[in-house]
mmCIF file of all heavy atoms in Angstrom:
data_model
loop_
_atom_site.group_PDB
_atom_site.id
_atom_site.type_symbol
_atom_site.label_atom_id
_atom_site.label_comp_id
_atom_site.label_asym_id
_atom_site.label_seq_id
_atom_site.Cartn_x
_atom_site.Cartn_y
_atom_site.Cartn_z
ATOM 1 N N LEU A 1474 0.808 -1.183 0.029
ATOM 2 C CA LEU A 1474 -0.002 0.017 -0.055
ATOM 3 C C LEU A 1474 0.883 1.223 0.009
ATOM 4 O O LEU A 1474 0.308 2.280 -0.379
ATOM 5 C CB LEU A 1474 -0.935 -0.048 1.212
ATOM 6 C CG LEU A 1474 -2.136 -0.940 1.237
ATOM 7 C CD1 LEU A 1474 -2.751 -1.039 2.586
ATOM 8 C CD2 LEU A 1474 -3.129 -0.425 0.214
ATOM 9 N N THR A 1475 2.040 1.238 0.454
ATOM 10 C CA THR A 1475 2.881 2.431 0.557
ATOM 11 C C THR A 1475 3.506 2.864 -0.852
ATOM 12 O O THR A 1475 4.128 3.859 -0.981
ATOM 13 C CB THR A 1475 4.015 2.272 1.602
ATOM 14 O OG1 THR A 1475 4.899 1.129 1.117
ATOM 15 C CG2 THR A 1475 3.476 1.889 2.881
ATOM 16 N N TYR A 1476 3.394 2.017 -1.846
ATOM 17 C CA TYR A 1476 3.820 2.285 -3.231
ATOM 18 C C TYR A 1476 2.829 2.780 -4.217
ATOM 19 O O TYR A 1476 1.665 2.386 -4.067
ATOM 20 C CB TYR A 1476 4.654 1.057 -3.775
ATOM 21 C CG TYR A 1476 6.057 0.849 -3.200
ATOM 22 C CD1 TYR A 1476 6.177 0.195 -1.967
ATOM 23 C CD2 TYR A 1476 7.109 1.345 -3.782
ATOM 24 C CE1 TYR A 1476 7.316 -0.035 -1.440
ATOM 25 C CE2 TYR A 1476 8.367 1.234 -3.232
ATOM 26 C CZ TYR A 1476 8.473 0.543 -2.050
ATOM 27 O OH TYR A 1476 9.689 0.334 -1.548
ATOM 28 N N ASP A 1477 3.198 3.746 -4.906
ATOM 29 C CA ASP A 1477 2.214 4.217 -5.970
ATOM 30 C C ASP A 1477 1.826 3.049 -6.871
ATOM 31 O O ASP A 1477 0.674 3.237 -7.589
ATOM 32 C CB ASP A 1477 2.920 5.294 -6.767
ATOM 33 C CG ASP A 1477 3.043 6.576 -6.122
ATOM 34 O OD1 ASP A 1477 2.369 6.817 -4.998
ATOM 35 O OD2 ASP A 1477 3.955 7.445 -6.517
ATOM 36 N N SER A 1478 2.586 2.080 -7.031
ATOM 37 C CA SER A 1478 2.300 1.007 -7.912
ATOM 38 C C SER A 1478 1.281 -0.009 -7.371
ATOM 39 O O SER A 1478 0.844 -0.882 -8.160
ATOM 40 C CB SER A 1478 3.542 0.355 -8.405
ATOM 41 O OG SER A 1478 4.186 -0.162 -7.352
ATOM 42 N N TYR A 1479 0.859 0.092 -6.201
ATOM 43 C CA TYR A 1479 -0.098 -0.679 -5.511
ATOM 44 C C TYR A 1479 -1.316 -0.838 -6.441
ATOM 45 O O TYR A 1479 -1.827 0.117 -6.927
ATOM 46 C CB TYR A 1479 -0.410 -0.321 -4.131
ATOM 47 C CG TYR A 1479 -1.576 -1.094 -3.519
ATOM 48 C CD1 TYR A 1479 -1.260 -2.388 -2.954
ATOM 49 C CD2 TYR A 1479 -2.881 -0.706 -3.508
ATOM 50 C CE1 TYR A 1479 -2.347 -3.044 -2.371
ATOM 51 C CE2 TYR A 1479 -4.026 -1.404 -2.955
ATOM 52 C CZ TYR A 1479 -3.542 -2.589 -2.400
ATOM 53 O OH TYR A 1479 -4.666 -3.436 -1.845
ATOM 54 N N ASN A 1480 -1.841 -2.091 -6.600
ATOM 55 C CA ASN A 1480 -2.818 -2.352 -7.545
ATOM 56 C C ASN A 1480 -3.812 -3.415 -6.988
ATOM 57 O O ASN A 1480 -3.254 -4.652 -6.908
ATOM 58 C CB ASN A 1480 -2.285 -2.627 -8.896
ATOM 59 C CG ASN A 1480 -3.335 -2.769 -9.972
ATOM 60 O OD1 ASN A 1480 -4.445 -2.984 -9.738
ATOM 61 N ND2 ASN A 1480 -2.912 -2.501 -11.142
ATOM 62 N N THR A 1481 -4.939 -3.174 -6.654
ATOM 63 C CA THR A 1481 -5.805 -4.116 -6.090
ATOM 64 C C THR A 1481 -6.121 -5.270 -7.100
ATOM 65 O O THR A 1481 -6.422 -6.526 -6.689
ATOM 66 C CB THR A 1481 -7.200 -3.614 -5.683
ATOM 67 O OG1 THR A 1481 -7.887 -2.920 -6.770
ATOM 68 C CG2 THR A 1481 -6.990 -2.613 -4.475
ATOM 69 N N SER A 1482 -6.128 -5.049 -8.440
ATOM 70 C CA SER A 1482 -6.392 -6.168 -9.392
ATOM 71 C C SER A 1482 -5.154 -7.160 -9.412
ATOM 72 O O SER A 1482 -5.538 -8.278 -10.039
ATOM 73 C CB SER A 1482 -6.688 -5.460 -10.736
ATOM 74 O OG SER A 1482 -5.454 -5.006 -11.206
ATOM 75 N N ILE A 1483 -4.176 -7.001 -8.795
ATOM 76 C CA ILE A 1483 -3.010 -7.958 -8.747
ATOM 77 C C ILE A 1483 -3.426 -9.183 -8.173
ATOM 78 O O ILE A 1483 -2.917 -10.258 -8.531
ATOM 79 C CB ILE A 1483 -1.830 -7.319 -8.107
ATOM 80 C CG1 ILE A 1483 -1.295 -6.182 -8.854
ATOM 81 C CG2 ILE A 1483 -0.762 -8.334 -7.917
ATOM 82 C CD1 ILE A 1483 -1.021 -6.352 -10.371
ATOM 83 N N TYR A 1484 -4.251 -9.129 -7.180
ATOM 84 C CA TYR A 1484 -4.574 -10.340 -6.452
ATOM 85 C C TYR A 1484 -5.305 -11.425 -7.305
ATOM 86 O O TYR A 1484 -5.200 -12.550 -7.169
ATOM 87 C CB TYR A 1484 -5.546 -10.041 -5.156
ATOM 88 C CG TYR A 1484 -4.650 -9.204 -4.128
ATOM 89 C CD1 TYR A 1484 -4.901 -7.811 -4.055
ATOM 90 C CD2 TYR A 1484 -3.831 -9.772 -3.255
ATOM 91 C CE1 TYR A 1484 -4.153 -7.117 -3.158
ATOM 92 C CE2 TYR A 1484 -3.100 -9.173 -2.416
ATOM 93 C CZ TYR A 1484 -3.322 -7.696 -2.263
ATOM 94 O OH TYR A 1484 -2.705 -6.979 -1.491
ATOM 95 N N GLN A 1485 -6.234 -10.943 -8.202
ATOM 96 C CA GLN A 1485 -6.820 -11.734 -9.257
ATOM 97 C C GLN A 1485 -5.991 -12.121 -10.353
ATOM 98 O O GLN A 1485 -5.996 -13.108 -10.933
ATOM 99 C CB GLN A 1485 -8.040 -11.142 -9.807
ATOM 100 C CG GLN A 1485 -9.169 -10.882 -8.825
ATOM 101 C CD GLN A 1485 -9.025 -9.669 -7.911
ATOM 102 O OE1 GLN A 1485 -8.487 -8.696 -8.281
ATOM 103 N NE2 GLN A 1485 -9.464 -9.787 -6.595
ATOM 104 N N LEU A 1486 -4.940 -11.287 -10.607
ATOM 105 C CA LEU A 1486 -4.049 -11.553 -11.868
ATOM 106 C C LEU A 1486 -2.932 -12.508 -11.526
ATOM 107 O O LEU A 1486 -2.661 -13.351 -12.405
ATOM 108 C CB LEU A 1486 -3.297 -10.138 -12.148
ATOM 109 C CG LEU A 1486 -2.515 -10.094 -13.457
ATOM 110 C CD1 LEU A 1486 -3.399 -10.310 -14.609
ATOM 111 C CD2 LEU A 1486 -1.873 -8.736 -13.553
ATOM 112 N N ILE A 1487 -2.448 -12.503 -10.280
ATOM 113 C CA ILE A 1487 -1.359 -13.535 -9.996
ATOM 114 C C ILE A 1487 -1.693 -14.955 -10.360
ATOM 115 O O ILE A 1487 -0.863 -15.659 -10.992
ATOM 116 C CB ILE A 1487 -0.917 -13.305 -8.472
ATOM 117 C CG1 ILE A 1487 -0.270 -12.059 -8.269
ATOM 118 C CG2 ILE A 1487 0.042 -14.481 -8.057
ATOM 119 C CD1 ILE A 1487 -0.015 -11.663 -6.911
ATOM 120 N N PRO A 1488 -2.861 -15.586 -9.756
ATOM 121 C CA PRO A 1488 -3.096 -16.912 -10.200
ATOM 122 C C PRO A 1488 -3.217 -17.245 -11.791
ATOM 123 O O PRO A 1488 -2.927 -18.153 -12.225
ATOM 124 C CB PRO A 1488 -4.423 -17.231 -9.425
ATOM 125 C CG PRO A 1488 -4.869 -16.054 -8.760
ATOM 126 C CD PRO A 1488 -3.897 -14.902 -9.027
ATOM 127 N N LYS A 1489 -3.771 -16.174 -12.463
ATOM 128 C CA LYS A 1489 -3.877 -16.382 -13.878
ATOM 129 C C LYS A 1489 -2.495 -16.443 -14.611
ATOM 130 O O LYS A 1489 -2.302 -17.208 -15.419
ATOM 131 C CB LYS A 1489 -4.695 -15.195 -14.431
ATOM 132 C CG LYS A 1489 -6.229 -15.217 -14.002
ATOM 133 C CD LYS A 1489 -6.919 -14.074 -14.579
ATOM 134 C CE LYS A 1489 -8.263 -13.888 -14.014
ATOM 135 N NZ LYS A 1489 -8.910 -12.683 -14.493
ATOM 136 N N ILE A 1490 -1.717 -15.513 -14.197
ATOM 137 C CA ILE A 1490 -0.273 -15.464 -14.792
ATOM 138 C C ILE A 1490 0.492 -16.660 -14.233
ATOM 139 O O ILE A 1490 1.228 -17.330 -15.073
ATOM 140 C CB ILE A 1490 0.403 -14.189 -14.333
ATOM 141 C CG1 ILE A 1490 -0.122 -12.945 -15.050
ATOM 142 C CG2 ILE A 1490 1.957 -14.246 -14.624
ATOM 143 C CD1 ILE A 1490 0.452 -11.674 -14.745
ATOM 144 N N LYS A 1491 0.242 -17.125 -13.109
ATOM 145 C CA LYS A 1491 0.891 -18.426 -12.561
ATOM 146 C C LYS A 1491 0.489 -19.592 -13.397
ATOM 147 O O LYS A 1491 1.301 -20.425 -13.865
ATOM 148 C CB LYS A 1491 0.524 -18.663 -11.169
ATOM 149 C CG LYS A 1491 1.401 -19.764 -10.590
ATOM 150 C CD LYS A 1491 1.089 -19.996 -9.101
ATOM 151 C CE LYS A 1491 2.021 -21.236 -8.610
ATOM 152 N NZ LYS A 1491 1.797 -21.343 -7.153
ATOM 153 N N GLN A 1492 -0.731 -19.633 -13.852
ATOM 154 C CA GLN A 1492 -1.275 -20.641 -14.610
ATOM 155 C C GLN A 1492 -0.577 -20.602 -16.028
ATOM 156 O O GLN A 1492 -0.204 -21.626 -16.622
ATOM 157 C CB GLN A 1492 -2.721 -20.703 -14.734
ATOM 158 C CG GLN A 1492 -3.454 -21.742 -15.468
ATOM 159 C CD GLN A 1492 -4.847 -21.643 -15.505
ATOM 160 O OE1 GLN A 1492 -5.448 -20.625 -15.289
ATOM 161 N NE2 GLN A 1492 -5.565 -22.839 -15.687
ATOM 162 N N ARG A 1493 -0.527 -19.347 -16.547
ATOM 163 C CA ARG A 1493 0.156 -19.237 -17.902
ATOM 164 C C ARG A 1493 1.613 -19.564 -17.783
ATOM 165 O O ARG A 1493 2.125 -20.192 -18.836
ATOM 166 C CB ARG A 1493 -0.049 -17.727 -18.455
ATOM 167 C CG ARG A 1493 0.696 -17.529 -19.637
ATOM 168 C CD ARG A 1493 0.127 -18.314 -20.776
ATOM 169 N NE ARG A 1493 0.803 -17.958 -22.113
ATOM 170 C CZ ARG A 1493 1.891 -18.593 -22.505
ATOM 171 N NH1 ARG A 1493 2.467 -19.570 -21.781
ATOM 172 N NH2 ARG A 1493 2.399 -18.278 -23.668
ATOM 173 N N LEU A 1494 2.206 -19.224 -16.775
ATOM 174 C CA LEU A 1494 3.727 -19.560 -16.537
ATOM 175 C C LEU A 1494 3.818 -21.064 -16.533
ATOM 176 O O LEU A 1494 4.822 -21.628 -17.130
ATOM 177 C CB LEU A 1494 4.212 -18.893 -15.248
ATOM 178 C CG LEU A 1494 5.532 -19.225 -14.712
ATOM 179 C CD1 LEU A 1494 6.716 -18.838 -15.830
ATOM 180 C CD2 LEU A 1494 5.901 -18.584 -13.544
ATOM 181 N N GLU A 1495 3.058 -21.823 -15.803
ATOM 182 C CA GLU A 1495 3.143 -23.256 -15.696
ATOM 183 C C GLU A 1495 2.885 -23.847 -17.018
ATOM 184 O O GLU A 1495 3.600 -24.830 -17.475
ATOM 185 C CB GLU A 1495 2.122 -23.828 -14.777
ATOM 186 C CG GLU A 1495 2.503 -23.390 -13.210
ATOM 187 C CD GLU A 1495 1.425 -23.755 -12.339
ATOM 188 O OE1 GLU A 1495 0.232 -24.156 -12.641
ATOM 189 O OE2 GLU A 1495 1.642 -23.540 -11.011
ATOM 190 N N LYS A 1496 1.994 -23.368 -17.888
ATOM 191 C CA LYS A 1496 1.738 -23.820 -19.189
ATOM 192 C C LYS A 1496 3.075 -23.589 -20.010
ATOM 193 O O LYS A 1496 3.544 -24.518 -20.841
ATOM 194 C CB LYS A 1496 0.651 -23.145 -19.863
ATOM 195 C CG LYS A 1496 0.402 -23.485 -21.369
ATOM 196 C CD LYS A 1496 -0.773 -22.741 -21.838
ATOM 197 C CE LYS A 1496 -1.003 -23.069 -23.373
ATOM 198 N NZ LYS A 1496 -1.856 -22.140 -24.101
ATOM 199 N N ALA A 1497 3.715 -22.394 -19.976
ATOM 200 C CA ALA A 1497 4.931 -22.145 -20.768
ATOM 201 C C ALA A 1497 6.009 -23.112 -20.282
ATOM 202 O O ALA A 1497 6.812 -23.564 -21.211
ATOM 203 C CB ALA A 1497 5.367 -20.644 -20.456
ATOM 204 N N ARG A 1498 6.141 -23.339 -19.093
ATOM 205 C CA ARG A 1498 7.201 -24.263 -18.539
ATOM 206 C C ARG A 1498 6.963 -25.693 -19.023
ATOM 207 O O ARG A 1498 7.904 -26.369 -19.360
ATOM 208 C CB ARG A 1498 7.218 -24.229 -17.037
ATOM 209 C CG ARG A 1498 7.886 -22.907 -16.603
ATOM 210 C CD ARG A 1498 7.768 -22.689 -14.971
ATOM 211 N NE ARG A 1498 8.521 -21.566 -14.476
ATOM 212 C CZ ARG A 1498 8.353 -21.043 -13.296
ATOM 213 N NH1 ARG A 1498 7.579 -21.635 -12.479
ATOM 214 N NH2 ARG A 1498 9.070 -20.060 -13.012
ATOM 215 N N SER A 1499 5.717 -26.114 -18.940
ATOM 216 C CA SER A 1499 5.540 -27.530 -19.359
ATOM 217 C C SER A 1499 5.687 -27.744 -20.884
ATOM 218 O O SER A 1499 5.893 -28.795 -21.193
ATOM 219 C CB SER A 1499 4.105 -27.944 -19.018
ATOM 220 O OG SER A 1499 3.180 -27.237 -19.773
ATOM 221 N N SER A 1500 5.569 -26.749 -21.720
ATOM 222 C CA SER A 1500 5.870 -26.764 -23.067
ATOM 223 C C SER A 1500 7.292 -26.292 -23.454
ATOM 224 O O SER A 1500 7.551 -26.058 -24.708
ATOM 225 C CB SER A 1500 4.764 -26.036 -23.906
ATOM 226 O OG SER A 1500 4.826 -24.634 -23.571
ATOM 227 N N ASN A 1501 8.140 -26.137 -22.543
ATOM 228 C CA ASN A 1501 9.537 -25.584 -22.826
ATOM 229 C C ASN A 1501 9.563 -24.427 -23.559
ATOM 230 O O ASN A 1501 10.459 -24.004 -24.331
ATOM 231 C CB ASN A 1501 10.400 -26.710 -23.496
ATOM 232 C CG ASN A 1501 10.535 -27.893 -22.611
ATOM 233 O OD1 ASN A 1501 10.814 -27.756 -21.483
ATOM 234 N ND2 ASN A 1501 10.421 -29.044 -23.277
ATOM 235 N N GLU A 1502 8.524 -23.479 -23.334
ATOM 236 C CA GLU A 1502 8.502 -22.201 -23.906
ATOM 237 C C GLU A 1502 9.529 -21.195 -23.111
ATOM 238 O O GLU A 1502 9.537 -21.207 -21.923
ATOM 239 C CB GLU A 1502 7.143 -21.566 -23.787
ATOM 240 C CG GLU A 1502 6.929 -20.176 -24.393
ATOM 241 C CD GLU A 1502 5.358 -19.773 -24.268
ATOM 242 O OE1 GLU A 1502 4.557 -20.642 -23.755
ATOM 243 O OE2 GLU A 1502 5.108 -18.687 -24.629
ATOM 244 N N PRO A 1503 10.341 -20.458 -23.877
ATOM 245 C CA PRO A 1503 11.251 -19.516 -23.102
ATOM 246 C C PRO A 1503 10.398 -18.545 -22.215
ATOM 247 O O PRO A 1503 9.434 -17.976 -22.649
ATOM 248 C CB PRO A 1503 12.047 -18.843 -24.152
ATOM 249 C CG PRO A 1503 11.949 -19.759 -25.367
ATOM 250 C CD PRO A 1503 10.699 -20.380 -25.239
ATOM 251 N N VAL A 1504 10.904 -18.284 -21.045
ATOM 252 C CA VAL A 1504 10.228 -17.340 -20.196
ATOM 253 C C VAL A 1504 11.285 -16.305 -19.763
ATOM 254 O O VAL A 1504 12.363 -16.662 -19.307
ATOM 255 C CB VAL A 1504 9.676 -18.061 -18.854
ATOM 256 C CG1 VAL A 1504 9.003 -17.035 -17.904
ATOM 257 C CG2 VAL A 1504 8.775 -19.075 -19.227
ATOM 258 N N ILE A 1505 10.843 -14.964 -19.914
ATOM 259 C CA ILE A 1505 11.727 -13.909 -19.518
ATOM 260 C C ILE A 1505 10.818 -13.073 -18.566
ATOM 261 O O ILE A 1505 9.782 -12.623 -18.871
ATOM 262 C CB ILE A 1505 12.181 -13.131 -20.708
ATOM 263 C CG1 ILE A 1505 13.027 -13.995 -21.580
ATOM 264 C CG2 ILE A 1505 12.952 -11.874 -20.302
ATOM 265 C CD1 ILE A 1505 12.383 -14.376 -22.816
ATOM 266 N N PHE A 1506 11.470 -12.760 -17.440
ATOM 267 C CA PHE A 1506 10.907 -11.807 -16.534
ATOM 268 C C PHE A 1506 11.600 -10.453 -16.544
ATOM 269 O O PHE A 1506 12.743 -10.375 -16.762
ATOM 270 C CB PHE A 1506 11.097 -12.260 -15.047
ATOM 271 C CG PHE A 1506 10.394 -13.655 -14.682
ATOM 272 C CD1 PHE A 1506 10.977 -14.847 -15.131
ATOM 273 C CD2 PHE A 1506 9.215 -13.705 -13.918
ATOM 274 C CE1 PHE A 1506 10.360 -16.012 -14.819
ATOM 275 C CE2 PHE A 1506 8.673 -14.819 -13.632
ATOM 276 C CZ PHE A 1506 9.180 -15.983 -13.995
ATOM 277 N N THR A 1507 10.759 -9.370 -16.400
ATOM 278 C CA THR A 1507 11.365 -8.063 -16.247
ATOM 279 C C THR A 1507 11.215 -7.651 -14.727
ATOM 280 O O THR A 1507 10.218 -7.849 -14.171
ATOM 281 C CB THR A 1507 10.878 -6.978 -17.162
ATOM 282 O OG1 THR A 1507 9.489 -6.782 -16.795
ATOM 283 C CG2 THR A 1507 10.972 -7.389 -18.756
ATOM 284 N N LYS A 1508 12.098 -6.891 -14.301
ATOM 285 C CA LYS A 1508 12.105 -6.353 -12.997
ATOM 286 C C LYS A 1508 12.487 -4.824 -13.128
ATOM 287 O O LYS A 1508 13.565 -4.564 -13.612
ATOM 288 C CB LYS A 1508 13.082 -7.071 -12.126
ATOM 289 C CG LYS A 1508 13.079 -6.694 -10.631
ATOM 290 C CD LYS A 1508 13.772 -7.571 -9.794
ATOM 291 C CE LYS A 1508 15.218 -7.777 -10.013
ATOM 292 N NZ LYS A 1508 16.004 -8.463 -8.866
ATOM 293 N N ASP A 1509 11.509 -4.041 -12.623
ATOM 294 C CA ASP A 1509 11.717 -2.595 -12.829
ATOM 295 C C ASP A 1509 12.379 -2.024 -11.477
ATOM 296 O O ASP A 1509 11.685 -2.059 -10.535
ATOM 297 C CB ASP A 1509 10.412 -1.911 -13.044
ATOM 298 C CG ASP A 1509 10.557 -0.464 -13.350
ATOM 299 O OD1 ASP A 1509 11.558 0.008 -13.877
ATOM 300 O OD2 ASP A 1509 9.624 0.333 -12.861
ATOM 301 N N ILE A 1510 13.594 -1.525 -11.648
ATOM 302 C CA ILE A 1510 14.294 -0.843 -10.707
ATOM 303 C C ILE A 1510 14.524 0.607 -11.016
ATOM 304 O O ILE A 1510 15.136 0.899 -11.999
ATOM 305 C CB ILE A 1510 15.742 -1.419 -10.401
ATOM 306 C CG1 ILE A 1510 15.624 -2.865 -10.170
ATOM 307 C CG2 ILE A 1510 16.387 -0.707 -9.195
ATOM 308 C CD1 ILE A 1510 14.998 -3.412 -8.804
ATOM 309 N N PRO A 1511 13.747 1.558 -10.252
ATOM 310 C CA PRO A 1511 13.934 3.018 -10.739
ATOM 311 C C PRO A 1511 15.445 3.402 -10.896
ATOM 312 O O PRO A 1511 16.360 2.992 -10.115
ATOM 313 C CB PRO A 1511 13.329 3.706 -9.438
ATOM 314 C CG PRO A 1511 12.325 2.706 -8.958
ATOM 315 C CD PRO A 1511 13.020 1.390 -9.058
ATOM 316 N N ILE A 1512 15.570 4.224 -11.780
ATOM 317 C CA ILE A 1512 16.961 4.621 -12.262
ATOM 318 C C ILE A 1512 17.748 5.221 -11.059
ATOM 319 O O ILE A 1512 18.902 5.012 -10.904
ATOM 320 C CB ILE A 1512 16.969 5.567 -13.436
ATOM 321 C CG1 ILE A 1512 18.446 5.923 -13.994
ATOM 322 C CG2 ILE A 1512 16.265 6.974 -13.078
ATOM 323 C CD1 ILE A 1512 18.945 4.700 -14.757
ATOM 324 N N GLN A 1513 16.981 5.946 -10.139
ATOM 325 C CA GLN A 1513 17.837 6.506 -9.046
ATOM 326 C C GLN A 1513 18.322 5.375 -8.073
ATOM 327 O O GLN A 1513 19.214 5.744 -7.187
ATOM 328 C CB GLN A 1513 16.889 7.484 -8.263
ATOM 329 C CG GLN A 1513 15.642 6.821 -7.615
ATOM 330 C CD GLN A 1513 14.437 6.961 -8.340
ATOM 331 O OE1 GLN A 1513 14.466 6.930 -9.666
ATOM 332 N NE2 GLN A 1513 13.252 7.108 -7.705
ATOM 333 N N TYR A 1514 17.800 4.134 -8.110
ATOM 334 C CA TYR A 1514 18.341 3.097 -7.302
ATOM 335 C C TYR A 1514 19.415 2.233 -8.029
ATOM 336 O O TYR A 1514 19.886 1.282 -7.434
ATOM 337 C CB TYR A 1514 17.212 2.296 -6.741
ATOM 338 C CG TYR A 1514 16.270 3.153 -5.997
ATOM 339 C CD1 TYR A 1514 14.871 2.856 -6.110
ATOM 340 C CD2 TYR A 1514 16.673 4.058 -5.032
ATOM 341 C CE1 TYR A 1514 13.966 3.585 -5.269
ATOM 342 C CE2 TYR A 1514 15.708 4.776 -4.231
ATOM 343 C CZ TYR A 1514 14.457 4.536 -4.479
ATOM 344 O OH TYR A 1514 13.517 5.328 -3.681
ATOM 345 N N LYS A 1515 19.582 2.541 -9.218
ATOM 346 C CA LYS A 1515 20.598 1.663 -10.020
ATOM 347 C C LYS A 1515 21.898 1.590 -9.321
ATOM 348 O O LYS A 1515 22.452 2.657 -8.875
ATOM 349 C CB LYS A 1515 20.725 2.292 -11.446
ATOM 350 C CG LYS A 1515 21.631 1.364 -12.324
ATOM 351 C CD LYS A 1515 21.732 2.016 -13.729
ATOM 352 C CE LYS A 1515 22.693 1.188 -14.566
ATOM 353 N NZ LYS A 1515 22.962 1.766 -15.858
ATOM 354 N N ASP A 1516 22.477 0.427 -9.214
ATOM 355 C CA ASP A 1516 23.767 0.202 -8.584
ATOM 356 C C ASP A 1516 23.819 0.721 -7.064
ATOM 357 O O ASP A 1516 24.904 1.070 -6.661
ATOM 358 C CB ASP A 1516 24.882 1.015 -9.380
ATOM 359 C CG ASP A 1516 24.976 0.416 -10.764
ATOM 360 O OD1 ASP A 1516 24.715 -0.747 -11.082
ATOM 361 O OD2 ASP A 1516 25.121 1.272 -11.691
ATOM 362 N N SER A 1517 22.716 0.701 -6.377
ATOM 363 C CA SER A 1517 22.713 0.983 -4.928
ATOM 364 C C SER A 1517 22.144 -0.243 -4.256
ATOM 365 O O SER A 1517 21.492 -1.071 -4.756
ATOM 366 C CB SER A 1517 21.913 2.358 -4.768
ATOM 367 O OG SER A 1517 20.480 1.998 -4.824
#
């Protein structure tokens, strides 16, 4: 809740993405994750 990116729809989204991720893994589909680190925290 303390971050601007807080999003109540995430609770419903996580299981759906997890299911899609499991499908990708079971079919040997490449999976790439992105992680957003604000530029002001780079290398800190």
Side-chain angles (χ1 to χ4, degrees):
L1474 287 166
T1475 64
Y1476 282 85
D1477 290 341
S1478 56
Y1479 174 75
N1480 187 333
T1481 58
S1482 66
I1483 295 305
Y1484 296 101
Q1485 292 80 34
L1486 189 61
I1487 292 170
K1489 293 176 187 176
I1490 291 178
K1491 185 175 182 179
Q1492 184 177 24
R1493 176 61 182 91
L1494 174 60
E1495 289 168 357
K1496 179 182 173 191
R1498 287 173 173 164
S1499 69
S1500 64
N1501 291 321
E1502 182 179 352
V1504 178
I1505 297 105
F1506 294 81
T1507 67
K1508 183 165 61 167
D1509 185 35
I1510 307 291
I1512 190 70
Q1513 65 266 31
Y1514 301 136
K1515 183 180 179 184
D1516 302 324
S1517 77

